[in-house]
Amino acid sequence: MVVRREVLGDAHVDRATAQMTEFDADFQTFITEGAWGSVWARSQFTKRERSIVTLALLAALGQDEEIAMHVRATRNTGATKEDIREALLHVAVYAGVPAANHAFKIVKKTFAEMDQASQAAQ
């Protein structure tokens, strides 16, 4: 849970936890332990590197909501806009231009939302 909070932020994890029901409790435990406790906690990649790889995979698979969530997480992982652009260029070559094109749209929209939220907070 520590790594999940470090990457996604307390607000996101608190929302996910508050929305958890008996139906999906086992799934939430599985992703917390498997993804965040095992894979994301490994030392071979930095959190920045894991962000880049994760975004490329999500884009290739067309996982729109997850792309936006992980773009927001880059505030915590250190992955830059340039890192994301490079990852999406790889997606274009290895998974197809339509997948990368769609991901670029999601990323741009998410960055605009993040910028608006940042300006509103000032």
Side-chain angles (χ1 to χ4, degrees), residues 38-109:
S38 291
V39 176
W40 273 85
R42 293 173 58 84
S43 63
Q44 286 75 10
F45 276 0
T46 65
K47 286 183 178 68
R48 175 185 162 268
E49 292 166 330
R50 289 195 191 282
S51 263
I52 295 165
V53 169
T54 299
L55 283 164
L57 288 165
L58 293 171
L61 294 169
Q63 298 298 313
D64 301 358
E65 289 181 26
E66 295 281 323
I67 292 168
M69 178 181 71
H70 279 276
V71 167
R72 287 188 295 274
T74 62
R75 291 177 293 208
N76 303 322
T77 66
T80 65
K81 288 182 179 183
E82 294 77 15
D83 292 333
I84 295 169
R85 180 186 60 227
E86 293 303 315
L88 295 182
L89 287 170
H90 265 65
V91 169
V93 170
Y94 292 100
V97 170
N101 186 46
H102 189 63
F104 267 108
K105 289 177 188 173
I106 295 166
V107 171
K108 287 168 51 177
K109 180 179 182 231

Side-chain angles (χ1 to χ4, degrees), residues 7-52:
V7 173
L8 299 178
D10 288 331
H12 175 86
V13 175
D14 290 344
R15 275 191 310 277
T17 302
Q19 294 172 0
M20 186 170 56
T21 66
E22 182 181 330
F23 179 72
D24 68 340
D26 290 339
F27 175 71
Q28 290 294 324
T29 299
F30 170 75
I31 61 173
T32 299
E33 292 174 356
W36 302 107
S38 291
V39 176
W40 273 85
R42 293 173 58 84
S43 63
Q44 286 75 10
F45 276 0
T46 65
K47 286 183 178 68
R48 175 185 162 268
E49 292 166 330
R50 289 195 191 282
S51 263
I52 295 165

